[in-house]
Amino acid sequence: MTQDLTPKYTVPGIEREAAGRLIGTLRLRLHALNDLHLTLKHVHWNVVGPHFIAVHEMIDPQVDRVREMADDVAERIAALGGVAQGTPGVLVTERTWDDYSIGRADAIAHLGALDLVYTGVVEDVRAAIKEAGDIDPATEDLLIGQLRDLEQFQWFVRAHLESSGGTLATGQVRTEEEAAAKGAELG
């Protein structure tokens, strides 16, 4: 049973029912961003090996920006007349993905798994942009800006996983464990 997220009011120029659909899309983006910032901190805390400091220091600015993105999405939900559900229980209940599966691991192994995480997040943001584009250009613009940053973060991660010939070590993997193993082969 899907929850009716139609607000009692919304911003001028958007129908309440359309705002409800947009709020539903943004709720999943909020969950994904909250999950991503926690996953990034997990990687930051559990990375080891010769590339430790490079990865450790690369991750914190990503954490900060992803937290800002979550705040922007939550505020957009509120502006549309919705409720920004940011509690851990709601995130776990409503998310459509599994928890990050890599614990203490080599830096490159974590980056391999993180590449897969970013792929899922980026694909979902692109789908949300398409949906928002049919309803609200302001929300679409917000998501497009976030997409650029997320793609840049993935590029930073992939730079550690790419050969000089342009082959991505994690190119054909399907699970975080496989991605971590491929990354570890490079480390």
Side-chain angles (χ1 to χ4, degrees), residues 156-169:
F156 292 167
V157 167
R158 284 181 165 182
H160 295 268
L161 304 169
E162 184 181 356
S163 72
S164 60
T167 301
L168 189 61

Side-chain angles (χ1 to χ4, degrees), residues 31 85-95:
H31 298 333
Q85 295 283 344
T87 61
V90 172
L91 185 161
V92 170
T93 300
E94 294 184 4
R95 72 181 178 187

